[in-house]
């Protein structure tokens, strides 16, 4: 436990060494369903996921056999879902899997594992891991996954060849967009039944889909992105199972939208970027400058209404964003690795924590806890190499949480 030297906010570093630690992406649950164990990526055991107990600091290996892509915590059951190549040797999963390999979706019984950890009687991996089902290599499955609110379906991205089979005749397929030559389609989203392993197609789109996430409160509702590695012609999309995907917050050419995250039952937070010099017009287009409104935006999934809750006046502006499930708070980081909190009721903006080093390997990537009282980040604050990351919890001060009472 330390106190932020700039803001006085309490920080709990759950890891403190240079071991290749990093948090799950902000769009997904960070804590296991019991709220005690926080799941994270690490190099402590090559290719495997870890969990740290927030109360006593124990660190436990929670996968065996490797994984790639997203770590998917269930919110109700003590379960974790991962994807791996079906034919790869243990701990040898390529970062994005092998294109020519069948993919397995694997369920990890965290309740059983942690119970045996407490008894110091951990057994072979087969006791805790179950193959939910196998995705044929022909579907081009990626590790971008998310779990339905009912926890009966897990969604995953499918590749171009499979998506093309389901694309309506006459659909114009998108080409690459921007200098990174990404964004071309088609791609899509499929689902797998957690009990039976049955696979269904959810949606196909003429562009490169990414950042798949589910609404934790509404079954069958997903949000995803048009992924280009930068600005998109239309970044945010949403779909309900059985319906057609639609744009979320229709963009103008000058809008640079990124890093959307579902934060409440009917809202998505996102960054409307203001990080580029006024007048910039390059391979990304005339976008991302403060000639137009920018900041931390929140769009309503039901009414499509959008408002901006705030924007730091100096520097890059917000970059990765999130919000509290109780609807009171929004949070965003910037390129300086500073973290800003926004009171959605009063309009107040405040610096929450600083000093996480611009040289850090990645941004702090804030994610609120289910109880809306703390935020998980990743930070290089403690490490001498100024690059490696640790898992850190930022606790909202009582004078802030008391506002909700």
């Amino acid at each position: 436990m330390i106190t932020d030297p700039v803001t006085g906010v309490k920080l709990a570093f759950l890891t403190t060494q240079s071991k290749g630690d990093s948090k799950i992406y902000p769009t997904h649950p960070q804590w296991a369903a019991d709220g005690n164990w926080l799941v994270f990526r690490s190099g402590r055991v090559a290719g495997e996921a870890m969990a740290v107990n927030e109360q006593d600091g124990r660190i436990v290996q929670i996968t065996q056999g490797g994984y790639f892509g997203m770590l998917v915590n269930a919110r109700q059951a003590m379960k974790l879902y991962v994807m791996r190549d079906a034919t790869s040797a243990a701990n040898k999963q390529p970062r994005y899997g092998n294109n020519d390999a069948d993919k397995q979706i694997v369920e990890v019984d965290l309740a059983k594992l942690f119970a045996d950890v407490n008894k110091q009687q951990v057994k072979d991996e087969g006791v805790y891991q179950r193959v939910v089902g196998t995705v044929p290599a022909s579907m081009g499955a990626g590790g971008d996954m998310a779990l339905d609110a009912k926890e009966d379906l897990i969604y995953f991205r499918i590749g171009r060849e499979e998506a093309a089979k389901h694309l309506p005749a006459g659909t114009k397929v998108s080409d690459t967009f921007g200098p990174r030559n990404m964004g071309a389609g088609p791609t899509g989203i499929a689902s797998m039944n957690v009990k039976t392993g049955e696979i269904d197609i959810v949606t196909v789109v003429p562009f490169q889909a990414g950042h798949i996430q589910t609404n934790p409160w509404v079954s069958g509702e997903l949000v995803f992105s048009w992924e280009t590695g930068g600005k998109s012609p239309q970044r945010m999309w949403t779909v309900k199972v059985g319906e057609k995907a639609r744009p979320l917050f229709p963009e103008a050419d000058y809008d640079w939208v990124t890093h959307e995250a579902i934060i409440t039952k009917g809202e998505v937070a996102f960054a409307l970027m203001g990080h580029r010099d006024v007048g910039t017009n390059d391979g990304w287009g005339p976008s991302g400058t403060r000639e137009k409104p920018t900041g931390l935006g929140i769009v309503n999934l039901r009414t499509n209404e959008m408002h901006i809750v705030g924007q730091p006046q100096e520097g890059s502006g917000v970059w990765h964003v999130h919000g509290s499930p109780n609807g009171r708070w929004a949070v965003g980081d910037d390129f300086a690795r500073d973290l800003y909190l926004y009171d959605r009721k009063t309009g107040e903006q405040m610096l929450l924590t600083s000093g996480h080093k611009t040289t850090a390997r990645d941004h702090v990537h804030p994610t609120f806890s289910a109880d809306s009282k703390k935020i998980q980040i990743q930070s290089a604050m403690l490490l001498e190499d100024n690059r490696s990351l640790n898992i850190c919890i930022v606790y909202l001060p009582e004078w802030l949480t008391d506002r909700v009472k």
Side-chain angles (χ1 to χ4, degrees):
M1 294 291 299
I2 70 169
T3 300
D4 187 289
V6 175
T7 66
V9 170
K10 290 182 179 180
L11 310 175
F13 279 85
L14 303 184
T15 68
T16 57
Q17 298 176 327
S18 179
K19 297 287 187 179
D21 300 334
S22 63
K23 70 187 291 292
I24 300 172
Y25 207 68
T27 52
H28 283 59
Q30 311 293 313
W31 283 265
D34 67 357
N36 296 321
W37 292 89
L38 200 148
V39 176
F40 64 101
R41 307 174 185 278
S42 181
R44 295 164 188 267
V45 181
E48 305 295 354
M50 311 297 287
V52 57
N53 188 292
E54 190 177 344
Q55 305 305 315
D56 60 29
R58 286 178 297 163
I59 297 177
V60 175
Q61 177 185 338
I62 57 171
T63 61
Q64 182 70 45
Y67 74 96
F68 67 88
M70 190 64 68
L71 293 166
V72 182
N73 278 308
R75 287 178 167 89
Q76 301 172 39
M78 284 290 288
K79 301 288 179 66
L80 174 75
Y81 295 90
V82 298
M83 182 175 283
R84 64 171 57 133
D85 285 342
T87 56
S88 292
N91 304 328
K92 299 295 183 181
Q93 298 292 321
R95 182 178 180 185
Y96 300 111
N98 286 308
N99 290 334
D100 58 350
D102 292 343
K103 305 294 189 290
Q104 291 178 339
I105 295 179
V106 178
E107 177 187 87
V108 183
D109 189 331
L110 296 178
K112 187 181 293 184
L113 173 60
F114 292 145
D116 286 352
V117 166
N118 290 334
K119 294 183 291 186
Q120 297 185 347
Q121 295 178 0
V122 177
K123 304 174 180 65
D124 291 339
E125 63 265 24
V127 175
Y128 313 105
Q129 296 188 149
R130 177 180 71 89
V131 176
V132 174
T134 299
V135 184
S138 61
M139 294 191 73
D144 199 347
M145 301 195 304
L147 186 64
D148 190 84
K150 290 184 177 178
E151 302 189 355
D152 58 342
L153 298 174
I154 190 157
Y155 303 98
F156 59 93
R157 187 178 63 236
I158 57 174
R160 293 178 182 175
E161 291 185 7
E162 181 65 28
K165 300 175 185 177
H166 307 277
L167 202 65
T171 301
K172 183 180 178 181
V173 176
S174 301
D175 200 354
T176 59
F177 182 87
R180 294 189 178 180
N181 295 316
M182 298 171 60
T187 56
I189 301 172
S191 66
M192 178 179 286
N193 188 292
V194 169
K195 291 184 177 180
T196 67
E198 181 183 359
I199 296 174
D200 287 312
I201 301 297
V202 175
T203 190
V204 292
V205 289
F207 51 82
Q208 180 180 336
H211 292 266
I212 298 168
Q213 56 186 296
T214 53
N215 190 325
W217 300 275
V218 180
S219 177
E221 185 169 55
L222 297 86
V223 169
F224 61 99
S225 72
W226 182 344
E227 181 57 69
T228 68
K231 173 184 162 48
S232 302
Q234 173 59 49
R235 165 77 185 199
M236 295 191 295
W237 293 75
T238 184
V239 66
K240 290 185 177 180
V241 175
E243 299 181 9
K244 185 179 179 181
R246 65 173 179 86
L248 186 62
F249 179 66
E251 297 177 37
D253 289 344
Y254 52 77
D255 290 328
W256 187 317
V257 171
T258 191
H259 295 127
E260 62 288 330
I262 299 172
I263 58 172
T264 69
K265 184 177 181 178
E267 293 178 313
V268 175
F270 64 97
L272 189 56
M273 296 296 295
H275 63 303
R276 308 209 298 170
D277 294 335
V278 171
T280 300
N281 188 350
D282 54 17
W284 294 115
S287 54
T289 75
R290 299 200 190 191
E291 294 171 293
K292 301 292 183 179
T294 64
L296 198 163
I298 296 178
V299 60
N300 190 296
L301 282 162
R302 311 296 164 234
T303 66
N304 298 322
E305 294 177 348
M306 190 279 282
H307 65 281
I308 296 174
V309 299
Q311 171 77 302
Q313 295 303 305
E314 303 295 333
S316 64
V318 291
W319 183 228
H320 301 88
V321 301
H322 209 258
S324 59
N326 66 6
R328 183 62 184 263
W329 313 105
V331 65
D333 68 15
D334 63 9
F335 283 90
R337 276 54 168 177
D338 292 338
L339 193 66
Y340 291 88
L341 185 73
Y342 301 86
D343 187 329
R344 298 180 58 187
K345 184 175 182 180
T346 67
E348 183 180 0
Q349 171 183 289
M350 62 202 85
L351 178 65
L352 197 59
T353 177
S354 184
H356 300 284
K357 298 179 181 177
T358 59
T359 54
R361 191 178 304 278
D362 207 346
H363 294 79
V364 298
H365 286 180
T367 310
F368 256 98
S369 61
D371 65 4
S372 301
K373 294 182 178 181
K374 54 192 175 184
I375 302 163
Q376 187 218 3
I377 64 171
Q378 53 190 10
S379 170
M381 178 184 284
L382 301 185
L383 298 178
E384 293 182 359
D385 68 4
N386 298 322
R387 290 274 295 159
S388 300
L389 300 168
N390 290 137
I391 304 301
C392 177
I393 305 296
V394 182
Y395 295 100
L396 295 190
E398 287 187 9
W399 62 271
L400 285 176
T401 56
D402 284 347
R403 294 182 181 182
V404 184
K405 295 178 181 179

